[in-house]
């Protein structure tokens, strides 16, 4: 039996780990891991859930993104971060991990330990739901409402956000009080940045791949 289990332990030990960087974003677009055939998923699992303009989950995983012409699929509001305790949070991220691709990143989970800034020592478990052409190596772009649109803006179509609203294109809003004007479903995730995350500005991390908590996969609908 022990010999039979050995490949399992070797596989776990070979999963991604190292040092990395973080940024933040919230572009409201359909997540890249929301398309079919991006990764091998658990039996009965689906790609990352997308929502329509009214934040209702879509069952057609090939619905085009609202960030492309004629598309109607957007980020669901419940894919916002939240505090589990004073020292642990859960959330979602766009990722680029050295030596991998979307086939290995999509719907995988990583435990981040922050090593700089006001959150140094805190941990966050994120599920990879997206990637981006502007990400570097071992890069976790943490999804948080008000974190900045980045390259794309689906928030104007989904929530009626002014095209120049919600702060800077990269980095987003600057103060907690700006969250007050956000849609009700996005406020908690916006406040999280200034409360649990202490408005940390792109803190460094160490990371290791971990089994996804059920609390995350229940929101994304995606299990490897």
């Amino acid at each position: 039996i022990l010999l039979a289990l050995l490949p399992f332990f070797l596989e776990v030990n070979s999963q991604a780990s190292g040092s990395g960087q973080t940024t933040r974003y919230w572009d409201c677009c359909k997540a890249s891991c929301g398309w079919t055939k991006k990764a091998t998923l658990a039996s009965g699992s689906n790609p990352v859930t997308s929502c329509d303009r009214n934040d209702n989950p879509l069952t057609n995983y090939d619905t085009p993104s609202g960030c492309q012409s004629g598309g109607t699929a957007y980020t669901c509001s419940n894919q916002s971060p939240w505090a589990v305790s004073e020292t642990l949070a859960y959330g979602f991220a766009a990722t680029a991990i050295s030596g991998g691709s979307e086939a290995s990143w999509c719907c995988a989970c990583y435990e981040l330990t922050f090593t700089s800034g006001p959150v140094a020592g805190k941990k966050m478990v994120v599920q990879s739901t997206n990637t981006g052409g502007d990400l570097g190596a071992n890069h976790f772009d943490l999804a948080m409402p008000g974190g900045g649109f980045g390259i794309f803006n689906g928030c104007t179509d989904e929530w009626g956000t002014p095209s120049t609203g919600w702060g800077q294109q990269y980095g987003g809003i600057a103060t907690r009080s700006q969250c007050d004007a956000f849609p009700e479903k996005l406020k908690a995730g916006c406040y999280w940045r200034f409360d649990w995350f202490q408005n940390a500005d792109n803190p460094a991390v160490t990371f290791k791949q971990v089994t996804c908590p059920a609390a995350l996969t229940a929101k994304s609908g995606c299990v490897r």
Side-chain angles (χ1 to χ4, degrees):
I1 293 175
L2 291 176
L3 289 174
L5 289 175
L6 185 58
F8 169 78
F9 288 118
L10 290 175
E11 180 182 354
V12 170
N13 290 334
S14 69
Q15 289 182 326
S17 64
S19 300
Q21 60 180 317
T22 67
T23 47
R24 60 184 179 269
Y25 85 107
W26 188 269
D27 61 10
C28 301
C29 301
K30 175 179 179 172
S32 180
C33 299
W35 298 93
T36 57
K37 302 177 181 177
K38 281 295 182 81
T40 300
L41 304 177
S43 176
S45 179
N46 293 306
V48 172
T49 302
S50 301
C51 283
D52 64 16
R53 188 175 279 106
N54 296 312
D55 206 37
N56 297 310
L58 296 169
T59 55
N60 179 0
Y61 294 93
D62 290 318
T63 301
S65 172
C67 291
Q68 63 189 74
S69 179
T72 56
Y74 303 89
T75 301
C76 300
S77 65
N78 68 351
Q79 291 168 25
S80 297
W82 75 96
V84 177
S85 70
E86 290 185 2
T87 57
L88 176 66
Y90 286 168
F92 302 89
T95 61
I97 310 298
S98 296
S101 66
E102 280 193 287
S104 58
W105 307 330
C106 274
C107 301
C109 286
Y110 304 89
E111 180 188 84
L112 311 181
T113 300
F114 297 105
T115 58
S116 68
V119 288
K122 288 188 173 187
K123 296 180 183 292
M124 183 177 187
V125 178
V126 296
Q127 184 175 37
S128 175
T129 55
N130 208 353
T131 190
D134 55 345
L135 300 185
N138 291 345
H139 191 157
F140 297 86
D141 201 9
L142 306 177
M144 58 185 82
F149 297 149
I151 297 175
F152 302 104
N153 170 20
C155 300
T156 297
D157 285 340
E158 185 179 13
W159 299 104
T161 309
S163 60
T164 55
W166 290 6
Q168 299 295 314
Q169 180 180 2
Y170 291 93
I173 61 174
T175 64
R176 190 182 191 278
S177 62
Q178 289 176 275
C179 300
D180 297 344
F182 275 56
E184 197 64 36
K185 290 183 175 181
L186 297 180
K187 285 183 179 179
C190 186
Y191 291 137
W192 172 90
R193 171 181 162 191
F194 298 93
D195 297 339
W196 189 93
F197 199 57
Q198 299 175 254
N199 198 26
D201 189 22
N202 302 343
V205 294
T206 57
F207 70 92
K208 62 180 180 179
Q209 190 170 345
V210 295
T211 301
C212 288
L216 283 174
T217 58
K219 292 178 182 290
S220 69
C222 190
V223 180
R224 291 185 68 90

